[in-house]
Amino acid sequence: MAFEQAGVLTSAQARTVLTDGTVRGLVRSGRWRAISRGLLLTGNGRLARDQQLWVAVLAAGAGAVLAGATAATEAGVRGLRPEPLHVLVPASRRAGRSTLRQLPIDMAAVVVHRTSVLPAEHLQVGRPPRTTTARALVDAGWRPDATDRDCQR
């Protein structure tokens, strides 16, 4: 799982194979890094781009996917701004605002959008999960002053 998620895990994921004491020991020894409450990096260096993408999705919570310019860029579309990172969550829930505000300085800003329309055909298999390129390009036109977003910085 750590390999599939670029070394980024939730505490719950880590606890499925390690004890709480082992996880705490890895963080205290400096071998692992605590990104924020509930998020871990199975290393101790700066966050790479693929790790930032995983942190954004995992910090936004259940059902979150990369979207907009971020999903389009990951699909290979060029000429879009790489930051901030855009994440889409179901309208029925709010993203973890406190977790997003506590992300480290080497993490790109994260903008969370909510939607009530996200059928399975708008999702693309990817690591991390994201919207299809077509949906991403439509969503990339989000207004910068939209009221349905939360920004980490």
Side-chain angles (χ1 to χ4, degrees), residues 3-71:
F3 178 76
E4 288 179 2
Q5 295 180 185
V8 179
L9 298 172
T10 65
S11 298
Q13 290 172 329
R15 277 190 245 111
T16 62
V17 293
L18 301 170
T19 66
D20 285 340
T22 302
V23 172
R24 278 193 305 272
L26 288 165
V27 172
R28 283 187 189 143
S29 70
R31 292 178 66 196
W32 282 18
R33 179 177 164 198
I35 300 298
S36 69
R37 184 179 177 102
L39 286 177
L40 302 165
L41 177 64
T42 60
N44 58 11
R46 293 180 54 84
L47 292 171
R49 169 79 176 180
D50 58 341
Q51 293 168 330
Q52 289 181 1
L53 297 173
W54 274 107
V55 168
V57 169
L58 294 173
V65 296
L66 296 178
T70 306

Side-chain angles (χ1 to χ4, degrees), residues 79-133:
L80 299 172
R81 293 181 55 174
E83 292 181 12
L85 303 178
H86 293 272
V87 177
L88 194 60
V89 298
S92 60
R93 54 173 296 280
R94 301 262 275 177
R97 289 183 183 186
S98 60
T99 303
L100 290 171
R101 288 187 188 118
Q102 296 171 359
L103 295 176
I105 194 79
D106 61 339
M107 176 67 192
V110 178
V111 178
V112 178
H113 303 271
R114 296 170 57 219
T115 184
S116 58
V117 180
L118 190 60
E121 55 269 9
H122 288 192
L123 298 175
Q124 179 175 330
V125 176
R127 291 286 185 190
R130 61 180 180 246
T131 59
T132 60
T133 307

Side-chain angles (χ1 to χ4, degrees), residues 1 22 26 30 63 65 84 88 96 113 135 142 145 150-151:
M1 187 178 320
T22 302
L26 288 165
V65 296
L88 194 60
H113 303 271
R135 168 75 188 250
W142 280 314
D145 63 339
D150 303 312
C151 190

